[in-house]
Amino acid sequence: MTRTLEERPTAFSEGLSRADLILVCMPLLFLGGYGVGALAFEGWPAATATASTACVPLMLEGLFVNPPEDG
């Protein structure tokens, strides 16, 4: 199904909600945290724990401080 010009969003940022941005940033933050953990520690468990800990504030903010709204 093809969209007409009138049905397309006028700007890319208008279609993104706060929850969408959190979902985009979460894997990037995890990857960055894993890289820092891999450089700082020898084993992968410590790097994974570092990456997970880096994602916690963003996840808590997205779930409890500013939860997604319907509609």
Side-chain angles (χ1 to χ4, degrees), residues 18-41:
R18 183 180 194 92
D20 293 332
L21 291 174
I22 289 173
L23 289 175
V24 168
C25 292
M26 191 74 81
L28 298 174
L29 186 60
F30 188 87
L31 184 62
Y34 190 87
V36 168
L39 291 174
F41 304 107

Side-chain angles (χ1 to χ4, degrees), residues 33-61:
Y34 190 87
V36 168
L39 291 174
F41 304 107
E42 292 294 321
W44 65 268
T48 305
T50 303
S52 299
T53 303
C55 291
V56 167
L58 187 61
M59 181 180 62
L60 292 176
E61 191 274 333

